[in-house]
Amino acid sequence: MKFNTKIPKHLNQAYKKELKQYRYYLKNNQYNSAWFHLERSHIIGQSYPLEHTYSHWLMLKFGLMRKDVKEVIGQILRLLFGGWKSFINHVPLGNTGGVNVPPLKRMAFPNDIEKLMKD
């Protein structure tokens, strides 16, 4: 069984770039764009426990800020289970992480992220 503990450098850079974009748009009250980049951070980091958990933590905070009860409840559940599933390499790749998609649904990677994953 493969255990994921540390995100590769090139993925970490892309993950941090998405989080930077998320914060920029959030600060400027552009919530749809902020969420878009938060979902992308989730896709990139979901195979690594710390990054995966942190993306869900930010999604929980976003849901609280937006007073989205459904998102808050969904993110609490994902926080409980997501990190350990990353550790044992059992995540639905490509999943964007929000409650608008089932938590175990595999999804196609955006083209640029798919290329990152292959590198």
Side-chain angles (χ1 to χ4, degrees):
M1 178 183 293
K2 178 184 174 196
F3 295 104
N4 290 334
T5 55
K6 187 169 180 181
I7 189 168
K9 186 176 180 176
H10 74 288
L11 291 180
N12 192 36
Q13 289 171 341
Y15 175 80
K16 287 180 178 178
K17 179 181 174 188
E18 294 299 334
L19 291 179
K20 184 176 180 179
Q21 291 289 94
Y22 161 72
R23 289 182 186 101
Y24 170 82
Y25 287 113
L26 186 64
K27 181 179 175 182
N28 290 287
N29 300 322
Q30 296 178 29
Y31 301 120
N32 289 339
S33 294
W35 184 256
F36 173 79
H37 288 284
L38 192 51
E39 287 179 321
R40 287 174 57 85
S41 78
H42 178 270
I43 294 168
I44 294 166
Q46 76 183 120
S47 292
Y48 306 94
L50 294 176
E51 291 77 12
H52 190 189
T53 302
Y54 188 61
S55 291
H56 282 299
W57 171 249
L58 292 176
M59 288 178 169
L60 172 62
K61 287 175 54 176
F62 188 89
L64 287 167
M65 181 194 70
R66 303 289 291 160
K67 297 181 173 104
D68 184 339
V69 174
K70 187 175 177 182
E71 192 69 49
V72 169
I73 292 169
Q75 292 307 324
I76 289 170
L77 293 172
R78 284 162 173 81
L79 278 167
L80 292 173
F81 301 107
W84 71 268
K85 290 184 76 100
S86 297
F87 181 69
I88 61 171
N89 201 34
H90 189 67
V91 294
L93 296 176
N95 189 292
T96 55
V99 297
N100 59 326
V101 296
L104 300 177
K105 181 179 181 181
R106 274 186 87 120
M107 299 172 75
F109 287 110
N111 290 339
D112 61 326
I113 294 177
E114 183 175 26
K115 184 177 178 343
L116 271 175
M117 297 300 186
K118 290 179 180 178
D119 289 346

